[in-house]
Amino acid sequence: GSIALALPSLASAGNKLAGVVSSNYKVPDPSTPYKYVTRYNNYYEFSTDKEEPAEAAQTLKTRPWTVSIEGLCAKPQTIGIEDLLKFAPLEERIYRMRCVEGWSMVIPWVGFPLATLLKRVEPLGSAKFVEFTTLADRKQMPGIGSRVLDWPYVEGLRLDEAMHPLTLMAVGLYGEELPNQNGAPIRLVVPWKYGFKGGKSIVRIRLLDKMPGTAWNKAASHEYGFYSNVNPEVDHPRWSQATERRIGEFGKRKTLMFNGYDEVAPLYAGMDLKKNF
Amino acid sequence: MPPPFIAWLRSPSPQQIGRVKALLFVVCLIPVSLLAWRFWHDDLGANPIEYITRATGEWTLRFLLITLTVTPFRRFTNLNWVLRLRRMLGLYAFFYCCLHLTTYLWLDQFFDWRSIFADIMKRPFITIGFAAFVGMLPLAITSTNAMIKRLGGKRWLWLHRLVYPVAVAGVIHFWWLVKRDIREPLLYAVILGLLLGARRVRTRQTA
């Protein structure tokens, strides 16, 4: 579109995704402008600066690309990105995104529920957790040389969280293919959790019976728990999580429990969310 | 006879020092002018307030380090007159610190004093950052010639050693703030370590 023309360095984005259908999962908040969504990214494999991945991630090659789904399932398989783009109807979903750093956005994602993908491999009864491994290729990703995190970046969900209808595998935003800096060609989006739970450029999904170790939890376990649900009551040890700055807004707004997605509360019935942060 | 520039550098006239000071005054305003210009043109990225907070904080640290460079620089070059630039550099550190604090109080917290107080008490990186600001206050207040006279040189010098813990607190403030990538605060810590180390070398030599 015109935006891609105005920003020639984002040439790989801008391909319109065909056959995107609307969905009921749309928050009424106005969407964060495209230029902010695509130029303010935490993608440590490219840089720990938030403005740099927009340029630095242009080295990422997103074709060919496969995602291998393995572990405790009846039909493990490796699926090419072309098939992933086709096998389920692509939906537009407008989600709030709350970063653990205290800022937030509203993003019109395009994707399909993770549950659709997991059902295809038929998880076994023993599967309790899902682990997401993202690409860690030194040749394409300059940040892999630094020891900021333990690469590859790994994230995880409990199986019931992964199967929740809100949990999305995103392949696009604003109706177009995902720009590299936003996690092309396929990433996870879990809107009631802090943004870092949504692994970018995913290459492997594994069903496990044990809780997987996750990148930020391994880096600082007292600061980043496995669950990392958005929770204004549980502060980060070094800053408050009670409020957030919505990108593009001047003032701050109150952070909502589960980022406003109250329908996920039953997943945590009876759990002490201060302990399981 | 050394070339004129070297002679000038060794012992500038009072008017020349005055001109250097005027030039330095303007140069030190460049960071805040650039910030204002970029703010005006909506060019501070997706999160302008974070950008301003970060930039004013880093300039505070930089000016503190530049101020601490004056003494070792004078020693190694024997250019005694550079001491006369130190007060302005120190006051600029305080100026950027005030901008930094104001950004936090106003644009980040909107003068919500209860939340600010809780923040200062609860969060070590804010506690130590605020402590550094409080430490700079007496230095700024006693920076005038009249105050130096009133305190007496020795007591004034003693008081102004407070700049060392202030700088250390400033670097720790930055260190505790970053999420994971400590390379930048580490750089400040190394430079501060070298500047403080240079003073120890001197102390031993004269002892």
Side-chain angles (χ1 to χ4, degrees), chain A residues 17-235:
Chain A
L17 285 161
V20 177
V21 297
S22 193
S23 80
N24 294 325
Y25 296 98
K26 291 186 169 178
V27 294
D29 321 29
S31 292
T32 304
Y34 180 91
K35 65 170 175 178
Y36 294 150
V37 174
T38 57
R39 298 197 80 83
Y40 194 71
N41 310 100
N42 276 320
Y43 202 159
Y44 280 19
E45 283 83 342
F46 292 100
S47 169
T48 54
D49 182 276
K50 280 195 264 297
E51 313 266 339
E52 277 171 17
E55 316 292 338
Q58 297 314 306
T59 52
L60 178 67
K61 277 208 235 66
T62 58
R63 298 290 188 281
W65 193 279
T66 57
V67 179
S68 106
I69 309 171
E70 53 194 74
L72 301 170
C73 58
K75 294 181 176 166
Q77 51 198 284
T78 299
I79 311 177
I81 187 66
E82 289 76 15
D83 294 332
L84 285 167
L85 289 170
K86 274 188 308 217
F87 92 104
L90 293 180
E91 300 172 32
E92 174 161 88
R93 295 187 174 196
I94 305 180
Y95 281 167
R96 284 181 285 266
M97 206 280 290
R98 168 67 156 78
C99 178
V100 74
E101 295 166 352
W103 52 269
S104 62
M105 292 186 182
V106 177
I107 305 174
W109 298 108
V110 176
F112 53 87
L114 173 62
T116 324
L117 192 57
L118 291 179
K119 278 176 199 151
R120 192 159 128 163
V121 299
E122 296 174 17
L124 302 177
S126 52
K128 295 284 178 278
F129 291 92
V130 186
E131 177 200 69
F132 305 86
T133 305
T134 74
L135 185 72
D137 180 357
R138 195 176 285 267
K139 275 184 226 138
Q140 303 181 55
M141 300 168 138
I144 297 291
S146 86
R147 302 238 182 138
V148 173
L149 290 171
D150 187 9
W151 313 112
Y153 191 91
V154 170
E155 258 308 335
L157 296 172
R158 227 167 49 191
L159 184 61
D160 58 341
E161 296 176 319
M163 296 299 282
H164 194 276
L166 277 170
T167 305
L168 190 74
M169 294 305 291
V171 295
L173 54 82
Y174 270 99
E176 300 172 352
E177 278 182 34
L178 275 182
N180 289 354
Q181 65 271 27
N182 293 86
I186 187 162
R187 67 167 294 171
L188 178 67
V189 177
V190 195
W192 71 92
K193 292 175 181 281
Y194 291 118
F196 68 86
K197 291 297 286 181
K200 297 183 169 91
S201 310
I202 288 173
V203 292
R204 187 175 72 172
I205 298 173
R206 205 152 59 126
L207 290 139
L208 303 169
D209 55 355
K210 290 193 191 73
M211 187 182 276
T214 60
W216 278 101
N217 184 247
K218 279 194 267 179
S221 57
H222 62 293
E223 300 191 342
Y224 309 99
F226 175 80
Y227 287 96
S228 292
N229 292 319
V230 175
N231 188 343
E233 312 270 303
V234 178
D235 286 346

Side-chain angles (χ1 to χ4, degrees), chain B residues 46-114:
Chain B
N47 199 343
I49 293 163
E50 183 201 46
Y51 189 101
I52 294 170
T53 311
R54 180 81 180 235
T56 50
E58 289 199 24
W59 279 108
T60 306
L61 275 179
R62 285 175 199 150
F63 273 103
L64 270 173
L65 295 183
I66 293 168
T67 309
L68 287 172
T69 309
V70 173
T71 297
F73 179 81
R74 177 190 71 136
R75 183 171 323 129
F76 292 124
T77 59
N78 282 322
L79 299 178
N80 288 328
W81 64 272
V82 295
L83 266 192
R84 298 180 58 183
L85 306 175
R86 193 171 58 180
R87 165 163 51 193
M88 194 200 294
L89 290 167
L91 282 171
Y92 263 112
F94 182 67
F95 169 70
Y96 281 96
C97 182
C98 288
L99 289 180
H100 183 61
L101 181 67
T102 308
T103 313
Y104 166 73
L105 295 178
W106 181 22
L107 300 180
D108 196 72
Q109 297 285 327
F110 297 97
F111 301 113
D112 179 348
W113 296 110
R114 228 177 39 174

